[in-house]
Amino acid sequence: MPKSEETRSLIVTTAMRLFTENGYDRTTMRAIATEAGVSVGNAYYYFSSKEQLIQGFYDEIARLHLDAARALLAEEPRFAERLKAVLLCWLELAEPYHRFGTQFFVNAADPESPLSPFSEESSAARDASIELMREVVEGSDVKLDPELRAQLPELLWLFQMGVVLFWVHDRSAGEKRSRMLVERSVPLLARLAALSRLRVFRPVSREIVDLIQDLARRE
Amino acid sequence: MPKSEETRSLIVTTAMRLFTENGYDRTTMRAIATEAGVSVGNAYYYFSSKEQLIQGFYDEIARLHLDAARALLAEEPRFAERLKAVLLCWLELAEPYHRFGTQFFVNAADPESPLSPFSEESSAARDASIELMREVVEGSDVKLDPELRAQLPELLWLFQMGVVLFWVHDRSAGEKRSRMLVERSVPLLARLAALSRLRVFRPVSREIVDLIQDLARRE
């Protein structure tokens, strides 16, 4: 990792720790810089505002997730196991930030916010996450309606956004309900995907996919 | 409607109008009472706080929705048409409050808030809405897996909560994307419900229902 990337990452993780400990509003850029051992000017060079730090945090979590998830995919051919591993891995990485997460992921649910996963500003992180879902599908043994296969990576990413939204509102100890959601819904999704090859189910399955894509599309 | 109910309803609708015009934080109980033509003491007799007014607003919308929806159901036997009418009717009734809605329905998404549709405080409104969905199913021509039939009213209510959540975040003109969601998802739900009778689909359908119910259950 280049030195500038290291500094950037250090500033983000320090900021997230301070936000979690003291609250977002009570944490200043000066405090973040001091705690990270960089000058205030340097901190502002990387992040022009606290909101940008949150974008930086998303990018950081997404980067850590890609690395960790790819390692898990290397030896596993079963589709449901691959998808489950990728989603549980995200929950594990995000866990330390859950308390704070309920504050800022809720803002991200506003489709006009640059923090929304559907925004222009989030397109790099979004593309990388959809690419990861493509690897989940392509490296697996799953048998699918060919039309569904092309659309599945984006649909799985939308499903991941749904899991994140559920996790944000999850107040169970250790977010165990979010893990239950993943562990129980993934085998069902895999079975539904397999059913997509049946003639009786195929038209419904294609219309569901069209509808989800139309709803997720920005104006 | 008894006089006390009328006063209650008048205070709620006045409050909602003022919240929408001037913002929730800038609207005092005194201003609401003056505008509604009742004494401040009388307003506090019905609603001990502004938050209680929001609960009152939910109840008011739910009551109006029950009346309007039942009138629509009277002459329509087709399941998909019945469900669509009930959901579109809610969107129409809630439309004037959309701008304000994005502020307070988001709070309601917190499962620990008394404003959550899953809370103890919301149980009367919730039961009435599930009962309406039971009428949608029972008065219709839909053919179903018998096990699904018993659970369908609660599932349809959960679906309605999903529509509300989508509507809260809907920034399209006149919330037309929310109407598209209802118009296109309802026929698909009806077809999926019909597929529940097929042997190949039934086990998946039952597991999906179990999972949704486990996730919606409070701890």
Side-chain angles (χ1 to χ4, degrees):
Chain A
M1 187 154 61
K3 181 77 172 70
S4 67
E5 275 304 298
E6 263 179 52
T7 308
R8 196 185 167 82
S9 171
L10 175 67
I11 295 170
V12 168
T13 49
T14 305
M16 288 307 125
R17 185 162 55 75
L18 293 181
F19 290 164
T20 308
E21 286 169 12
N22 311 322
Y24 179 74
D25 290 333
R26 275 191 301 256
T27 304
T28 61
M29 280 295 259
R30 178 169 297 277
I32 295 163
T34 306
E35 189 77 10
V38 303
S39 71
V40 177
N42 205 2
Y44 274 111
Y45 168 77
Y46 287 100
F47 300 98
S48 58
S49 66
K50 285 204 287 181
E51 197 174 68
Q52 290 248 319
L53 274 165
I54 294 183
Q55 186 69 54
F57 168 67
Y58 285 147
D59 296 344
E60 178 79 7
I61 284 269
R63 196 176 59 72
L64 290 171
H65 182 233
L66 285 180
D67 289 351
R70 283 202 172 107
L72 294 170
L73 292 178
E75 313 252 319
E76 175 59 70
R78 291 167 296 175
F79 172 65
E81 293 305 317
R82 292 168 73 83
L83 179 56
K84 205 189 292 177
V86 163
L87 294 172
L88 291 177
C89 172
W90 191 91
L91 291 177
E92 202 182 310
L93 278 170
E95 207 277 328
Y97 308 103
H98 185 265
R99 221 189 79 203
F100 180 56
T102 56
Q103 181 183 332
F104 71 4
F105 280 96
V106 164
N107 295 331
D110 177 348
E112 283 181 8
S113 162
L115 297 175
S116 158
F118 299 101
S119 75
E120 191 58 37
E121 291 83 348
S122 303
S123 64
R126 178 171 68 243
D127 290 348
S129 300
I130 294 175
E131 178 53 33
L132 177 64
M133 288 303 183
R134 197 177 315 282
E135 293 170 32
V136 166
V137 176
E138 293 309 325
S140 82
D141 56 8
V142 70
K143 308 253 186 309
L144 293 165
D145 171 18
E147 196 170 304
L148 181 60
R149 177 177 288 268
Q151 297 162 319
L152 196 54
E154 194 181 337
L155 292 174
L156 294 178
W157 174 76
L158 286 171
F159 180 69
Q160 186 186 337
M161 295 304 101
V163 170
V164 172
L165 189 64
F166 187 88
W167 173 84
V168 166
H169 293 117
D170 184 357
R171 302 295 173 94
S172 62
E175 297 85 67
K176 67 175 190 300
R177 284 160 77 84
S178 298
R179 285 207 306 282
M180 172 180 90
L181 169 65
V182 169
E183 276 158 10
R184 288 179 53 187
S185 63
V186 165
L188 288 170
L189 286 178
R191 282 160 71 186
L192 284 174
L195 285 175
S196 72
R197 291 187 302 157
L198 297 181
R199 189 169 303 185
V200 63
F201 190 61
R202 200 178 292 181
V204 190
S205 137
R206 289 185 178 175
E207 278 188 48
I208 293 172
V209 169
D210 284 350
L211 176 57
I212 293 172
Q213 288 183 328
D214 286 351
L215 291 172
R217 193 163 291 139
R218 305 195 78 208
E219 296 285 272
Chain B
M1 186 155 60
K3 181 79 172 71
S4 67
E5 275 304 297
E6 264 179 51
T7 307
R8 195 184 169 84
S9 172
L10 175 68
I11 295 171
V12 168
T13 49
T14 305
M16 289 306 126
R17 184 162 55 75
L18 294 181
F19 291 163
T20 307
E21 285 169 13
N22 310 324
Y24 179 73
D25 290 333
R26 276 191 301 255
T27 304
T28 61
M29 280 295 260
R30 176 168 299 276
I32 295 163
T34 306
E35 189 76 12
V38 303
S39 71
V40 178
N42 206 1
Y44 274 112
Y45 168 78
Y46 287 101
F47 300 99
S48 58
S49 66
K50 284 204 288 182
E51 195 174 70
Q52 290 247 319
L53 274 164
I54 295 185
Q55 185 70 52
F57 169 65
Y58 285 146
D59 296 344
E60 179 79 7
I61 283 269
R63 194 177 60 72
L64 291 171
H65 182 234
L66 283 180
D67 289 351
R70 282 201 174 109
L72 295 169
L73 292 178
E75 311 253 320
E76 176 58 70
R78 291 166 297 173
F79 172 64
E81 294 304 316
R82 290 169 73 83
L83 180 56
K84 207 190 291 180
V86 164
L87 294 173
L88 290 177
C89 172
W90 190 91
L91 290 176
E92 202 182 312
L93 278 170
E95 207 277 327
Y97 307 103
H98 184 265
R99 221 189 78 202
F100 179 57
T102 56
Q103 181 184 331
F104 71 6
F105 280 96
V106 164
N107 296 331
D110 176 348
E112 282 181 9
S113 162
L115 297 175
S116 158
F118 299 101
S119 74
E120 191 59 36
E121 290 83 348
S122 303
S123 64
R126 179 171 66 242
D127 290 349
S129 299
I130 295 175
E131 178 54 33
L132 176 64
M133 288 303 181
R134 196 177 314 281
E135 292 170 34
V136 167
V137 176
E138 294 308 327
S140 83
D141 57 8
V142 69
K143 308 251 186 311
L144 294 166
D145 171 18
E147 196 169 307
L148 181 60
R149 179 177 286 268
Q151 295 162 321
L152 196 56
E154 192 182 337
L155 291 175
L156 293 179
W157 174 75
L158 285 171
F159 180 69
Q160 184 185 339
M161 295 302 102
V163 170
V164 172
L165 189 64
F166 186 88
W167 172 84
V168 167
H169 292 117
D170 184 355
R171 302 295 174 92
S172 63
E175 297 85 66
K176 67 175 191 300
R177 285 160 76 82
S178 299
R179 285 206 306 282
M180 173 181 89
L181 170 65
V182 168
E183 275 159 10
R184 289 180 53 188
S185 63
V186 165
L188 287 170
L189 285 179
R191 282 161 71 187
L192 283 175
L195 284 176
S196 71
R197 290 187 303 159
L198 296 182
R199 189 170 302 187
V200 63
F201 190 61
R202 197 176 295 179
V204 189
S205 139
R206 290 186 176 174
E207 278 188 48
I208 293 172
V209 169
D210 285 350
L211 176 58
I212 293 171
Q213 289 182 327
D214 286 350
L215 291 172
R217 192 161 292 139
R218 304 195 79 208
E219 296 285 272

